[in-house]
RNA sequence: GAGGGGGUAGCUCAGUGGAUUAGAGCAGUAGCCUUCUAAGCUAUUGGUCGCGGGUUCGAUCCCCGCCCCCCUCGCCA
């Protein structure tokens, strides 16, 4: 029999089969298998309680019948999984050391786990839309979450077997370009793409232009005219716009590089400028869109707040009253393009939570539009996140009220990490300490963002972030470094020296082994709702389990079989830790 | 007013589709480095799981009502 990659799923499947032989249960029985408190079991099935209640049967007797039927199933092996009825009618499952050992010997490395996880999303074509910044601005703290969460979610989806395309849907066609172009002209500013301050200059010009147009209606008109010229293809404005976008993209790329963020496409709003006309036409043809106050809008009467009857009207405006497009238009055009050109089966949008209304309207409109035009709608998911708060409980800002620059954040984290590394490991060469510091600094920034539920706001605190203790990236990196150190000491590569490994034996070995197997459950959980914090929680628990093992059981010992099995546990710990860290976007370290 | 999110230990947060003592990290207390990196490990203090009802043998979790905080609500994205 092949070794189960994900025991919980296999047990659940067997329970469903077994239930068919139990008259009270039958087909459609949901075992409700879930991870259990480790003090009781590895997994527990709660489904019998509900079924017994519905059938007015004795839950314990029913659970016992189910267990008997389970034991009759082909593929059931009591030497691998112990089963018992507990409490009012729960069924507990406990993996035996033999099962743990078999799993550890079979699922050795990332390629095996990828293969095991591939059934989760194999065959899917997924487009992920992130980090999608607006053009002509420096990256600031507000860009941290889409970068970090987007990258983690992307890696998770790809790991689970999907064919993934990363599409950076930049905001490069908005109304702000009119103001910016006007400001550049008025200041007679010469845009030098080589200048390191070019983006700061553009930001300053935009601010000035924005203030000027607010103060003077004539200037506002002039700005609109510049935008109209741009959108109608005026060569001068187009050339200027292209330069701005290029400069902006280059600056963003410098940040992306530091976060290890890759993009396959940068198809911003401007890419869809000749594709919105079709959207207007089709939406009107299928009776979805109508004129309202001069704009073209879509109502969703079945949703109270998007209906015509709502107290405060919130239609989906797909074309502005001046005839120009907005993000609803381009998002609809983008949806069509991704469906037709990329053949997407799923699209994931990573943005902050304030855009929930927009995406609900987008998804509703897309659904009706595609239905009316006989197209297949991909699965659409909005992966949204909360705000990063400062110590005052409000969105984080600098003292002057400006957003904190992302580069400044990276630099400070790196600098503090460098001090720590130098303090702890003064003997390492300075070049290596700098590399370690950069890795830790960026990792700490990332992990702080990923480790709490993405839909929560979270408080940014240098103290917590840079403390390098507790549930942090440095703790995980350090746990892995300690594993690798053992192999280095023995002059072995990770994965060598485990021939003849016996099954986990001591309590700390068994606890560690069970935690290693729980990797599959953590993947399931993180993937389910695309919430990377489940993976963080898991990795922290794994590091803790390793810490206890490391303190209790010496790896380098005289008995060959004991050393072999402990080396096997070490190798799996390191491999799962490194795989997990990379899924989060964190590059592991050899030393620190 | 409508919609979304949150209210769990001093602080930052997990969790629970019903099981005994509700978890973790920080902070506090007490131990552990001649031995695989102590950025660590062990033990321990600390909580009416916002408030009030309901269903149930049993609710932090499900249902109803209420209170507080954050966000969004017609042409920005």
């Amino acid at each position: 029999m092949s070794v189960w990659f994900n025991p919980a799923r296999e047990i659940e499947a067997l329970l469903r089969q077994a239930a068919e032989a139990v008259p009270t249960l039958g087909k459609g029985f949901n075992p409700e298998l879930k991870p259990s408190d480790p003090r009781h079991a590895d997994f527990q099935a709660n489904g019998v309680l509900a079924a017994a209640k519905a059938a007015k049967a004795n839950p314990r007797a029913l659970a016992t019948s189910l267990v008997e039927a389970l034991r009759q199933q082909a593929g059931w092996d009591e030497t691998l999984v112990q089963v018992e009825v507990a409490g009012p009618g729960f069924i507990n499952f406990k993996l035996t050391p033999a099962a743990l050992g078999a799993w550890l010997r079979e699922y050795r490395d990332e390629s095996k786990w990828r293969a095991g996880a591939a059934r989760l999303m194999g065959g899917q074509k997924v487009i992920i839309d992130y980090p999608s910044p607006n053009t002509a601005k420096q990256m600031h703290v507000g860009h941290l979450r889409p970068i970090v969460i987007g990258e983690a979610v992307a890696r998770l989806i790809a790991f689970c077997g999907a064919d993934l395309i990363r599409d950076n849907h930049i905001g490069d066609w908005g109304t702000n370009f009119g103001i910016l172009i006007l400001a550049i002209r008025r200041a007679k500013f010469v845009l030098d793409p080589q200048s390191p301050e070019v983006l700061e200059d553009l930001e300053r010009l935009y601010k000035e232009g924005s203030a000027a147009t607010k103060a003077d209606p004539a200037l506002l008109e002039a700005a609109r005219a510049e935008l109209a010229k741009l959108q109608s293809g005026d060569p001068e404005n187009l050339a200027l716009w292209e330069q701005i976008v290029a400069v902006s993209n280059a600056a963003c790329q410098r940040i992306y590089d530091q976060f290890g963020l890759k993009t396959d496409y940068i198809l911003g709003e401007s890419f869809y400028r000749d594709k919105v006309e079709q959207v207007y036409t089709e939406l009107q043809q299928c009776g979805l869109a109508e004129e309202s106050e001069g704009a073209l809008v879509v109502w969703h009467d079945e949703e109270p707040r998007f209906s015509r009857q709502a107290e405060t009207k919130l239609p989906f405006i797909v074309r502005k009253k001046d005839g120009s497009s907005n993000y609803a238009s381009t998002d609809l055009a983008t949806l069509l393009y991704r469906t037709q050109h990329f053949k997407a089966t799923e699209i994931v949008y990573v943005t902050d939570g304030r855009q929930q209304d927009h995406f609900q309207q987008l998804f509703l409109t897309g659904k009706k539009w595609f239905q009316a035009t006989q197209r297949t709608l991909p699965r659409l998911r909005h992966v949204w996140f909360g705000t990063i708060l400062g110590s005052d409980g409000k969105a984080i800002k600098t003292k002057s009220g400006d957003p904190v620059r992302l580069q400044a954040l990276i630099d400070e984290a790196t600098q503090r990490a460098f001090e720590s590394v130098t303090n702890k490991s003064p003997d390492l060469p300075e070049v290596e300490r700098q590399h370690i510091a950069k890795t830790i600094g960026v990792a700490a920034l990332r992990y702080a963002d990923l480790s709490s539920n993405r839909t929560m706001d979270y408080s940014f605190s240098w103290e917590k972030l840079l403390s390098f203790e507790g549930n942090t990236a440095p703790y995980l990196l350090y746990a892995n470094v300690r594993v690798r150190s053992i192999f280095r000491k023995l002059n072995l590569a990770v994965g060598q020296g485990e021939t003849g490994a016996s099954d986990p034996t001591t309590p700390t070995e068994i606890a560690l082994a069970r935690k290693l197997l729980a990797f599959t459950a953590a993947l399931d959980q993180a993937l389910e709702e695309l919430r990377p914090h489940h993976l963080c929680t898991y990795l922290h628990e794994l590091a803790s389990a390793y810490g206890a093992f490391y303190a209790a059981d010496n790896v380098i010992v005289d008995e060959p079989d004991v050393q072999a099995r402990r080396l096997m546990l070490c190798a799996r710990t390191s491999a799962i830790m490194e795989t997990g860290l990379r899924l989060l976007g964190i590059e592991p370290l050899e030393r620190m």
Side-chain angles (χ1 to χ4, degrees), chain A residues 15 29-36 43-53 59 63 66 86 88-93:
Chain A
L15 274 171
F29 167 69
N30 180 4
E32 292 180 39
L33 195 79
K34 58 171 199 172
S36 191
F43 316 103
Q44 62 184 68
N46 297 353
V48 170
L49 280 176
K53 194 163 199 172
L66 180 58
F90 302 108
I91 305 176
N92 285 350
F93 300 89

Side-chain angles (χ1 to χ4, degrees), chain A residues 133-277:
Chain A
N134 281 331
T135 303
K137 281 188 191 163
Q138 295 187 75
M139 300 221 109
H140 54 79
V141 64
H143 295 105
L144 182 64
R145 303 209 80 183
I147 289 175
V148 165
I149 294 169
E151 187 61 28
V153 167
R155 292 184 183 202
L156 187 63
I157 290 172
F159 187 85
C160 294
D163 182 4
L164 184 77
I165 291 177
R166 300 149 194 252
D167 182 11
N168 188 1
H169 191 72
I170 58 174
D172 60 353
W173 203 241
T175 46
N176 53 336
F177 275 99
I179 293 169
L180 185 55
I181 290 173
L182 178 70
I184 289 172
R185 294 221 190 292
R186 291 183 72 221
K188 298 194 169 33
F189 178 74
V190 180
L191 200 151
D192 173 12
Q194 304 306 318
S195 159
E197 287 93 35
V198 62
L199 261 193
E200 277 147 85
D201 292 337
L202 288 177
E203 266 185 4
R204 179 177 44 77
L205 285 166
Y206 178 77
K207 263 190 195 169
E208 290 169 9
S210 182
T213 50
K214 266 181 197 150
D216 184 349
L219 286 178
L220 186 61
E221 264 322 297
R224 284 197 179 130
E226 293 291 358
L227 180 68
K229 272 169 70 183
L230 171 67
Q231 299 206 340
S232 60
D234 172 74
E236 274 184 47
N237 277 12
L238 260 182
L240 192 51
W241 168 80
E242 271 172 17
Q243 277 190 314
I244 295 169
V245 172
V247 161
S248 176
N249 281 347
C252 289
Q253 192 58 50
R254 286 195 288 277
I255 297 284
Y256 298 159
D257 288 345
Q258 295 172 79
F259 279 101
L261 183 143
K262 302 261 190 297
T263 47
D264 299 310
Y265 294 92
I266 302 181
L267 300 178
E269 289 164 357
S270 65
F271 178 77
Y272 297 94
R273 59 189 188 252
D274 62 349
K275 297 177 177 61
V276 291
E277 216 39 64

Side-chain angles (χ1 to χ4, degrees), chain A residues 262-527:
Chain A
K262 302 261 190 297
T263 47
D264 299 310
Y265 294 92
I266 302 181
L267 300 178
E269 289 164 357
S270 65
F271 178 77
Y272 297 94
R273 59 189 188 252
D274 62 349
K275 297 177 177 61
V276 291
E277 216 39 64
Q278 183 187 0
V279 175
Y280 306 146
T281 311
E282 288 196 17
L283 288 181
Q284 287 176 94
Q285 276 171 356
C286 52
L288 273 172
E290 63 187 45
E291 298 271 339
S292 169
E293 297 177 23
L296 189 65
V297 308
V298 177
W299 300 99
H300 296 288
D301 288 329
E302 74 281 14
E303 284 290 329
R305 69 187 183 286
F306 302 141
S307 85
R308 287 161 234 259
Q309 279 73 45
E311 287 177 49
T312 40
K313 303 281 187 288
L314 188 56
F316 195 48
I317 297 168
V318 297
R319 189 180 62 202
K320 298 194 276 188
K321 66 180 169 196
D322 66 2
S324 59
S325 63
N326 65 359
Y327 70 136
S329 344
T330 48
D331 274 2
L332 284 165
T334 305
L335 171 59
L336 182 60
Y337 186 79
R338 286 172 175 165
T339 305
Q340 293 187 326
H341 184 264
F342 290 120
K343 309 275 185 272
T345 59
E346 176 168 344
I347 304 173
V348 175
Y349 301 85
V350 183
T351 83
D352 79 87
R354 289 175 301 190
Q355 297 187 39
Q356 284 177 90
D357 282 344
H358 168 73
F359 281 102
Q360 283 183 20
Q361 288 175 303
L362 176 68
F363 295 175
L364 282 169
T365 306
K367 184 179 165 191
K368 293 175 186 172
W369 174 30
F370 276 37
Q371 203 159 36
T373 51
Q374 318 242 311
R375 296 181 177 113
T376 305
L377 186 73
R379 180 182 187 186
L380 303 175
R381 286 208 266 185
H382 184 207
V383 170
W384 62 272
F385 48 83
T387 310
I388 303 180
L389 306 176
S391 48
D392 57 355
K394 301 245 166 96
I396 187 168
K397 289 216 166 104
T398 58
K399 283 176 202 146
S400 62
D402 293 326
V404 183
R405 290 173 52 196
L406 201 39
Q407 190 60 57
L409 225 49
I410 296 171
D411 291 345
E412 183 161 355
T414 303
Q415 190 200 324
R416 295 289 290 267
F418 184 76
E419 283 163 22
S420 289
V421 176
T422 301
N423 189 29
K424 301 284 180 190
S425 308
D427 297 337
L428 292 176
E430 185 174 340
V431 180
E432 186 173 352
R433 275 183 281 138
Q434 279 168 350
H435 169 252
I436 291 169
K438 184 76 183 230
T439 303
I440 293 179
V442 175
L445 217 44
R446 254 192 151 111
Y447 194 84
D449 200 276
L450 291 171
S451 57
S452 67
N453 199 332
R454 63 175 161 76
T455 53
M456 298 271 281
D457 294 345
Y458 78 91
S459 311
F460 188 93
S461 134
W462 282 114
E463 201 174 279
K464 184 188 170 193
L465 187 92
L466 297 171
S467 75
F468 302 143
E469 282 173 24
N471 185 11
T472 64
Y475 176 80
L476 302 184
L477 289 167
Y478 181 68
N480 183 52
V481 158
R482 291 208 292 176
V483 183
R484 299 198 75 105
S485 167
I486 291 172
F487 286 94
R488 196 164 51 238
K489 181 114 182 170
L490 289 171
N491 259 319
L492 293 174
V494 175
Q496 287 181 333
E498 57 188 62
T499 312
S502 40
D503 293 330
T505 305
T506 70
T508 37
E509 286 171 6
I510 290 173
L512 177 58
R514 291 166 89 186
K515 196 50 82 179
L516 288 165
L517 264 76
F519 179 52
T520 59
L523 275 181
D524 274 1
Q525 249 186 323
L527 188 69

